Amino acid sequence: MPESNIHRGDDELGGCQEHSYYHNVFGMLMARSTFEGMKLANENKRPFVLTRAGFIGSQKYAATWTGDNVSNWEHLHMSISMVLQLGLSGQPFSGPDIGGFVGNATPKLFGRWMGVGAMFPFCRGHSEKASFDHEPWSFGDECEEVCRRALKRRYRLIPHLYTLFYDAHIMGTPVMTPTFFADPTNPSLRTIENSFLLGPLLVYARFCSLYFQINH
C-alpha cells in the first residue's frame, strides 16, 4: 500500500492520517480484537494470540514471532539481535521460526538453531509448505537427539522462565536481555551479538556449539 494512502481513522486513534501512521497500529488492533474476542468466547481460559505485526501496547494482547526468515546461518545469527531488540522495545514474548521459514535447513543448521531457539522466550519450529519437513526427526538420529536435549533443557528451565515472565509483567524487564545488562558500565559488552542473559543465566552461542553458565 502506498505510504501516501489516506486512512480516515477514529479521532481517538489519530484521525485522518497517511498509511505510514496506521500501518503497524492495524496489526496491534487485529491482535487486540482477537484477544478480546477469545475472552468473550470463554472467560475461563486465558487467550494465546501470536502476531507478526504490532505497535506499542501489542505485548498486552499477543506474543510475536519475527516473521518469514530464511534457513541460513545469517538469519540464525540475526535472530538473537531481533529478539533482544523486541524485548527492549517492550515485547518480552518473542522468537523466530526455528530452522527458518523459507528454504531448507541442513541437519547441522537445524540442530544449532534449536539449541539457541530453545532458550528464546517464544520457542517454535515453523516452515513454509514448499520446504522440506522441519521436524527434529526429519534430519536424522543425531539431529533428533540434539533437539531432544535442547528441549529437555528448556523444560528444566520452565520455572526460571516463568519467573522472568512474571518480572517482565511487574517491572517491564525483558525476559531475554542483552549481555551488557550484566555490567552497563562496560562498553565492550554492547557490541556482543552472540550471547544473551536469562536473568542470571548467560547463554553464549558460538554457532558451532552452545554454552551455558551462571553469571554471578
Side-chain angles (χ1 to χ4, degrees), residues 8-189:
R8 300 186 183 280
D10 294 341
D11 290 340
E12 65 181 27
L13 298 177
C16 186
Q17 298 281 354
E18 291 188 349
H19 175 69
S20 58
Y21 180 88
Y22 280 114
H23 181 79
N24 292 321
V25 175
F26 176 81
M28 189 271 284
L29 292 176
M30 287 291 288
R32 176 180 174 178
S33 63
T34 303
F35 179 92
E36 293 177 348
M38 293 176 70
K39 288 289 289 184
L40 287 172
N42 192 333
E43 294 183 356
N44 298 319
K45 290 188 176 182
R46 182 173 57 185
F48 174 77
V49 182
L50 180 64
T51 184
R52 191 176 63 177
F55 194 67
I56 298 170
S58 295
Q59 71 275 8
K60 183 177 179 180
Y61 307 108
T64 298
W65 92 98
T66 58
D68 295 346
N69 55 1
V70 178
S71 296
N72 62 35
W73 291 94
E74 180 184 7
H75 278 217
L76 166 56
H77 184 265
M78 286 170 54
S79 67
I80 295 178
S81 296
M82 293 177 76
V83 176
L84 288 173
Q85 290 178 47
L86 280 165
L88 292 173
S89 300
Q91 174 51 281
F93 197 2
S94 63
D97 288 341
I98 293 175
F101 179 77
V102 177
N104 299 307
T106 63
K108 185 175 181 180
L109 173 62
F110 191 86
R112 295 292 182 258
W113 209 321
M114 184 64 77
V116 179
M119 297 294 100
F120 287 158
F122 179 64
C123 172
R124 178 187 72 158
H126 184 218
S127 60
E128 65 174 346
K129 187 175 181 179
S131 67
F132 296 156
D133 290 344
H134 274 197
E135 286 76 29
W137 53 86
S138 304
F139 296 96
D141 293 342
E142 183 179 3
C143 182
E144 183 178 1
E145 179 59 26
V146 168
C147 295
R148 180 181 292 109
R149 292 185 181 186
L151 292 172
K152 284 185 174 180
R153 183 184 299 120
R154 180 179 181 87
Y155 273 98
R156 288 198 301 270
L157 290 172
I158 284 293
H160 179 63
L161 291 171
Y162 273 25
T163 301
L164 296 177
F165 271 102
Y166 178 78
D167 289 343
H169 172 66
I170 297 298
M171 298 181 291
T173 306
V175 173
M176 174 176 157
T177 57
T179 308
F180 71 77
F181 269 44
D183 183 5
T185 65
N186 186 345
S188 64
L189 295 180

